[in-house]
Amino acid sequence: NKREAKDMVEGVFGEVRTSLEGGEPVKLSGFGNFQLRDKPQRPTDAIRKPVKRVITARRVVRIPFQPKAEDRGGDHPRGSVQQF
């Protein structure tokens, strides 16, 4: 049923998150590798606002798509990035 499927998916992503938090590499066969990147602090480049702001340093998860995944519908050329 839908509830069990949702719990299973959330469990898998929970394990992925726990592994990434511990610094372990994560690979899902046929999908790709989850990579952690530490992004440094940087100034914004907001043209419309005269106030300079700073984007804080953060850690993000990058999922570069494998060619097989792109053939199945992944259309973003650089992979997806999600703040972690």
Side-chain angles (χ1 to χ4, degrees):
N1 80 35
K2 286 185 180 182
R3 177 72 177 156
E4 291 173 348
K6 179 182 175 187
D7 290 344
M8 187 183 307
V9 169
E10 287 179 355
V12 169
F13 282 110
E15 288 295 320
V16 169
R17 181 182 183 122
T18 301
S19 295
L20 289 171
E21 287 174 341
E24 299 174 41
V26 176
K27 178 177 182 174
L28 295 180
S29 181
F31 183 75
N33 296 309
F34 288 72
Q35 301 170 348
L36 275 181
R37 288 184 51 200
D38 290 318
K39 297 187 97 177
Q41 178 176 316
R42 64 181 177 87
T44 62
D45 52 358
I47 297 171
R48 293 184 222 170
K49 297 182 180 178
V51 178
K52 292 288 183 184
R53 297 193 179 179
V54 174
I55 297 174
T56 58
R58 63 204 184 280
R59 179 171 281 178
V60 297
V61 176
R62 182 171 187 271
I63 310 167
F65 290 112
Q66 292 181 339
K68 284 192 280 184
E70 287 181 9
D71 292 341
R72 290 192 306 250
D75 58 355
H76 197 288
R78 296 185 324 166
S80 65
V81 177
Q82 179 178 351
Q83 187 165 337
F84 185 63

